[in-house]
Amino acid sequence: MKAILPLTNLPRVVIIGGGFGGIKLAQGLKKAPFQVVMLDRHNYHTFQPLLYQVSTGGLEPDSIAFPLRKMFAGQDNFIFRIAEVSAVDPAGQVIQTSIGEIEYDYLVIATGSKTNYFGLKEVEAHAMGMKTIPESLNLRSLILQHFEQAHQETDVDDKHLLMKFVVVGGGPTGVETAGALAELKRHVLPNDYPELDLRQMEIHLVEAGDQLLGNMTDKSSEDSLAALEKLGVHVWLDTRVTGYDGRVVTTDKTDLQFDAATLIWAAGIMGNVPEGLPKSAFDRGTRLAVDAYNRVIDHPRIFAIGDAALMRAEAAWPNGHPQVAPAAMQQGTLLAANLINLHKGAPLKPFVYFDKGSMATIGRNKAVMDFGALHLKGLIAWLGWMFVHLLFLIGMRNRLVVLTNWIWSYFTYDKGNRLIIRPYQKNLPEETPAVPATSPV
C-alpha cells in the first residue's frame, strides 16, 4: 500500500524527523523546486534541552513543544504526516511506514538519537529515561507518587528508599537533573510534604568517567562538581552502574551500591536509525557514516544529519561532531542549500561546524559556560544559559511562558507544575519485582 500524498512533478525530498536538523532543512527548502515531505511519530517538535525541567515540575510540556503543521503553515511545498518509519529500501528508493510505502528522490534521515543502555537489559527495564515528553511526564509522576507513597509508608527503610534518587550520567542532562532535584529538596518539597523528614532524601550522581561534563573544560567540570556538592548531591566519579532491579543499584565497585526507588538514566545516547541500510553504512554501530556533504557513504540519494550522522571529513572533528542542537541545525541549513545546488548541477559546499560553545546549569544562579578560551560561571553564566535557551525555543508564546515560569520560580522559590496527571507504572517482565506506584483513588 502506498501512502496518500499529493501528486507532483517535482523531485520529492523525504525528511524523517521533526527535530532541530529536520526543521532547518525543511525551512531552507521553502522556495526550492522540491516537494518536501516530513514524517514524525509526533505532530510536534520537542525542545529536548528543557525536558529535565518538565520531569522535575518546572515547566509544562506544551511550553517546550511546538506543532509542526503550525510551524510550516504557508509553506506551499511542505507536507507533514504522522508516521512511524520501519525500513528504508535504498535500491527501490522507497521507505516503509505505518501509513504505507513512500517513494523518494532524496531521503534525509534526521531521526536524532535514543537512550543507550549499553546492553544493560535489567537497567533498561527499570530505569527512567528522559528523551521524550511522555517519558518526562512519566518521570514527573513517578517522583511525586513516591513522595505520596512515602507519606503512607510505615517501614522506615522503605520510606527512605522512596526518597532516594540515583542519576546516571555526568553530562549536561545528568548534571542539570541532579541540580533540579536538589533545588526541589531545598525549596519546594518541604512546603508540600511538611510531615516528611526530607533530610532522608538523597540524590546521587554517578559518572563512569573521571570528571563531570566531559566535553567541557576542566574548569567547568570542577565548578559544576563544587556546585552540586554544595547543593547536597553525592557525586561518584569513575563509577559504572552495572545493574538495577528496581530497588538496588549495583556498580563496578564491589563495596558500592545504592538502595533507591528511582534510577534516572542520562548516561548515553545512540543513533536512532530505521532498518534497511547495510552495516557498511554505519560508523560506531548506530550512527550513519556521512561524507562532507552529509551523504551516507555509498548511498548518493540518502543523507543523514544531526545525532543520526557521524562525519569524519572535517579535520577539526576527526571523531565526528558533538550530538547537540547547533550541529544538527547547521547541517540542516547547509544541506538545504546543497540539495538546491544538486538540483541545479552546481558544486556542493562541504560542512564546516561553527562551535558556539557549551553550557550547563546546576541550579539557581549556578551555571558554567565555555566559549573558546572564555570560561564563565555563576550568575552571569546562568543568565547566559537562560538567554540562549529562550532564543532557541520555537514560538513567541513558548518563550513568554517559559520566561514567566522562570521568573515566578526565581522570586517565589516554587515550581508550579507538580501534577500527577496520570499515575505511572512501568511495564516490567513478569518475574521482576518493583516498588509499587501509588494507585489512583
Side-chain angles (χ1 to χ4, degrees):
M1 179 185 75
K2 286 191 175 182
I4 300 174
L5 296 172
L7 296 176
T8 179
N9 58 0
L10 296 174
R12 177 182 290 165
V13 177
V14 176
I15 305 169
I16 309 175
F20 292 106
I23 287 172
K24 283 294 184 181
L25 170 59
Q27 289 173 336
L29 296 175
K30 182 174 183 177
K31 297 181 179 179
F34 294 106
Q35 184 189 63
V36 181
V37 179
M38 177 178 286
L39 308 174
D40 197 288
R41 58 180 176 171
H42 301 298
N43 73 334
Y44 55 84
H45 164 77
T46 302
F47 189 74
Q48 290 187 334
L50 292 180
L51 280 172
Y52 82 95
Q53 293 204 10
V54 174
S55 299
T56 54
L59 295 172
E60 275 297 325
D62 61 347
S63 64
I64 66 165
F66 197 88
L68 289 166
R69 290 185 182 276
K70 182 177 180 179
M71 190 183 305
F72 291 98
Q75 183 166 333
D76 294 336
N77 68 343
F78 178 83
I79 298 164
F80 174 75
R81 295 289 186 270
I82 292 180
E84 293 269 4
V85 178
S86 56
V88 177
D89 177 6
Q93 287 186 212
V94 297
I95 57 174
Q96 304 299 328
T97 81
S98 57
I99 61 172
E101 187 178 270
I102 297 177
E103 298 176 343
Y104 65 83
D105 293 288
Y106 300 103
L107 175 65
V108 182
I109 299 174
T111 44
S113 59
K114 59 184 178 180
T115 303
N116 187 358
Y117 291 97
F118 303 101
L120 299 173
K121 296 298 183 182
E122 184 187 53
V123 171
E124 184 175 358
H126 295 90
M128 301 297 293
M130 273 193 308
K131 287 294 293 179
T132 65
I133 284 177
E135 285 183 341
S136 294
L137 286 173
N138 288 339
L139 178 55
R140 184 181 77 181
S141 292
L142 187 65
I143 291 170
L144 295 171
Q145 286 169 209
H146 282 170
F147 280 101
E148 295 293 336
Q149 188 178 348
H151 257 299
Q152 309 299 324
E153 185 58 63
T154 56
D155 184 275
V156 174
D157 290 337
D158 284 345
K159 184 186 289 285
H160 191 196
L161 179 83
L162 290 162
M163 293 192 288
K164 287 181 69 173
F165 298 84
V166 176
V167 181
V168 184
T173 300
V175 167
E176 290 168 353
T177 303
L181 287 170
E183 295 221 311
L184 277 176
K185 177 182 177 180
R186 278 191 167 196
H187 303 304
V188 178
L189 297 177
N191 295 321
D192 282 3
Y193 302 100
E195 300 164 60
L196 289 176
D197 181 6
L198 286 166
R199 291 174 298 180
Q200 295 186 43
M201 180 179 172
E202 294 181 20
I203 304 157
H204 298 268
L205 178 59
V206 183
E207 164 57 32
D210 59 2
Q211 63 179 31
L212 300 177
L213 304 175
N215 291 330
M216 297 183 70
T217 62
D218 291 344
K219 183 61 177 169
S220 287
S221 174
E222 294 165 4
D223 290 340
S224 61
L225 175 61
L228 284 171
E229 290 180 336
K230 189 173 181 179
L231 285 171
V233 177
H234 304 278
V235 180
W236 306 87
L237 301 176
D238 291 312
T239 303
R240 190 180 301 276
V241 168
T242 57
Y244 179 57
D245 62 4
R247 189 180 182 99
V248 179
V249 183
T250 57
T251 75
D252 58 352
K253 296 180 178 178
T254 55
D255 59 342
L256 180 62
Q257 65 179 31
F258 310 95
D259 294 323
T262 308
L263 176 69
I264 302 170
W265 190 266
I269 57 176
M270 58 195 296
N272 186 21
V273 179
E275 300 289 332
L277 291 167
K279 288 185 178 180
S280 59
F282 290 84
D283 195 337
R284 292 187 178 175
T286 65
R287 298 174 68 183
L288 290 167
V290 298
D291 63 14
Y293 314 105
N294 282 99
R295 288 183 300 205
V296 176
I297 303 302
D298 297 328
H299 295 277
R301 289 187 174 269
I302 302 178
F303 299 79
I305 58 177
D307 291 357
L310 197 155
M311 180 190 296
R312 297 183 183 271
E314 192 176 349
W317 302 92
N319 296 315
H321 302 101
Q323 291 171 283
V324 294
M329 295 167 74
Q330 291 174 39
Q331 288 179 352
T333 298
L334 181 65
L335 181 54
N338 275 336
L339 285 173
I340 295 170
N341 288 340
L342 194 63
H343 182 69
K344 293 178 177 177
L348 305 185
K349 182 179 178 180
F351 179 72
V352 178
Y353 177 52
F354 173 58
D355 186 1
K356 297 183 177 180
S358 303
M359 60 183 66
T361 183
I362 299 100
R364 182 186 184 87
N365 299 338
K366 297 179 180 69
V368 289
M369 180 185 298
D370 294 329
F371 183 73
L374 179 65
H375 168 75
L376 299 173
K377 69 173 184 176
L379 177 61
I380 189 170
W382 185 67
L383 292 172
W385 179 92
M386 287 196 298
F387 173 77
V388 169
H389 283 69
L390 286 172
L391 187 66
F392 278 94
L393 266 173
I394 295 175
M396 184 55 66
R397 173 196 172 274
N398 284 0
R399 295 189 185 109
L400 289 173
V401 169
V402 169
L403 179 60
T404 301
N405 271 271
W406 285 348
I407 292 172
W408 176 263
S409 296
Y410 187 81
F411 287 106
T412 65
Y413 290 85
D414 188 25
K415 296 179 184 292
N417 300 304
R418 301 182 299 282
L419 306 176
I420 304 174
I421 299 297
R422 53 184 188 191
Y424 174 73
Q425 176 66 60
K426 195 172 183 70
N427 294 322
L428 301 172
E430 291 183 4
E431 70 279 4
T432 307
V435 176
T438 303
S439 299
V441 177

